[in-house]
C-alpha cells in the first residue's frame, strides 16, 4: 500500500491516494496501532472530502468509528458511525448504511442500551437481507444474539446465534464461526448448561 501511495502521489491521483491511505489505516488498525490508523484515516478523509467522493467518505467515517469502538470510546464511535450512516443515506449506499447501523447497535449494546441495540440491529438486518449479503447477515444475527443474551433472553439469543452459524458455515466465515461458537458457549454458561 505504501508503494501504491507513492505512485498515486507521483501521478497526482487523489482518488488513489485516498484509497491507499485508507488501506494503510486498516492495516494499522488491525495491528492495534490506533493512533497511526487514525492518522491515515484522517489523511484519507481529507482527500476524499476535497474530491467529493461521498461513498468513500462514508466508508472512511465508519473505519474511524471502528477505531474508537476498539479503543472503548463509545461516544466518539457513535459520532463517526452516525456521520457514516448519514453520508451513506444521502447517496443511497445501502451497504454502508447497513454496516453503520449494525455498528451503532453494537455500541449501544456495549453501553447497556439493549433496546436501542436491537432496534439498530433490526434496521441493519433488513437492509442486509435486501442486499443478500450473507456474510453481513450472519454478523448482524450474531450481534443481535449477543444483545439478547445481555438482556437475559437466552432462547432468542440462541436462536439468533444458531441462525448466524448456519449462514457463517454456508459462506465459510471461519472467524465468524469461531466468534459465534464462543457466544453460544457464553449463552449456555448463563443458562447453567
Amino acid at each position: 500500500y505504501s508503494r501504491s501511495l507513492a505512485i498515486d502521489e507521483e501521478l497526482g491521483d487523489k482518488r488513489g491516494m485516498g484509497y491507499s491511505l485508507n488501506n494503510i489505516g486498516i492495516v494499522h488498525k488491525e495491528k492495534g496501532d490506533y493512533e497511526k490508523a487514525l492518522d491515515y484515516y484522517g489523511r484519507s478523509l481529507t482527500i476524499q472530502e476535497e474530491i467529493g467522493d461521498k461513498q468513500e467518505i462514508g466508508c472512511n467515517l465508519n473505519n474511524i468509528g471502528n477505531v474508537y469502538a476498539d479503543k472503548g470510546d463509545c461516544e466518539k464511535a457513535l459520532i463517526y458511525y452516525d456521520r457514516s450512516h448519514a453520508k451513506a443515506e444521502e447517496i443511497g449506499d445501502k451497504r454502508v448504511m447497513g454496516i453503520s447501523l449494525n455498528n451503532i447497535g453494537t455500541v449501544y449494546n456495549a453501553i447497556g442500551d439493549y433496546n436501542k441495540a436491537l432496534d439498530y440491529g433490526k434496521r441493519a438486518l433488513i437492509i442486509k437481507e435486501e442486499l443478500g449479503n450473507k456474510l453481513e447477515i450472519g454478523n448482524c444475527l450474531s450481534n443481535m444474539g449477543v444483545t439478547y443474551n445481555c438482556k437475559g433472553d437466552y432462547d432468542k439469543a440462541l436462536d439468533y446465534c444458531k441462525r448466524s452459524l448456519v449462514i457463517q458455515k454456508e459462506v465459510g466465515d471461519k472467524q465468524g464461526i469461531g466468534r459465534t461458537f464462543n457466544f453460544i458457549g457464553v449463552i449456555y454458561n448463563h443458562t447453567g448448561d
Side-chain angles (χ1 to χ4, degrees):
Y1 290 139
S2 295
R3 289 171 39 200
S4 176
L5 177 60
I7 293 168
D8 294 331
E9 288 172 337
E10 185 179 313
L11 295 173
D13 179 1
K14 296 241 181 209
R15 184 175 300 262
M17 289 166 56
Y19 289 145
S20 295
L21 289 164
N22 187 55
N23 288 334
I24 294 169
I26 290 169
V27 172
H28 284 296
K29 187 245 180 213
E30 292 301 316
K31 289 173 55 179
D33 191 343
Y34 299 129
E35 296 315 308
K36 279 189 179 177
L38 288 173
D39 174 54
Y40 280 96
Y41 288 149
R43 290 166 54 194
S44 175
L45 184 60
T46 298
I47 290 171
Q48 292 161 349
E49 288 172 338
E50 183 182 307
I51 63 174
D53 189 341
K54 292 180 180 182
Q55 184 172 20
E56 288 305 310
I57 290 169
C59 291
N60 198 287
L61 290 167
N62 189 70
N63 288 343
I64 294 170
N66 289 339
V67 172
Y68 285 115
D70 282 2
K71 289 176 65 169
D73 189 338
C74 293
E75 187 177 323
K76 282 189 179 175
L78 281 175
I79 290 168
Y80 281 95
Y81 289 150
D82 283 335
R83 287 179 61 198
S84 172
H85 181 260
K87 188 59 69 176
E89 196 169 43
E90 177 185 326
I91 62 170
D93 185 346
K94 289 198 170 217
R95 186 183 141 279
V96 173
M97 286 169 59
I99 291 169
S100 59
L101 288 169
N102 189 47
N103 288 339
I104 291 167
T106 301
V107 172
Y108 277 119
N109 185 67
I111 60 178
D113 192 336
Y114 305 128
N115 291 330
K116 277 190 179 178
L118 289 171
D119 177 56
Y120 279 95
K122 288 173 185 175
R123 290 170 56 195
L125 185 60
I126 289 168
I127 292 171
K128 291 173 184 215
E129 287 175 337
E130 281 176 14
L131 297 175
N133 187 324
K134 290 189 176 188
L135 181 70
E136 292 180 10
I137 291 169
N139 183 38
C140 191
L141 289 168
S142 182
N143 288 343
M144 291 174 69
V146 170
T147 302
Y148 278 115
N149 178 63
C150 292
K151 283 186 72 155
D153 189 339
Y154 304 122
D155 290 336
K156 278 191 178 177
L158 277 173
D159 176 57
Y160 275 81
C161 284
K162 286 180 178 180
R163 287 170 50 200
S164 171
L165 195 57
V166 167
I167 293 170
Q168 290 165 332
K169 286 179 177 179
E170 185 180 319
V171 298
D173 178 11
K174 290 185 180 186
Q175 186 177 23
I177 292 167
R179 192 173 50 248
T180 302
F181 271 133
N182 184 60
F183 295 154
I184 291 171
V186 168
I187 296 164
Y188 281 127
N189 185 53
H190 285 150
T191 64
D193 188 349

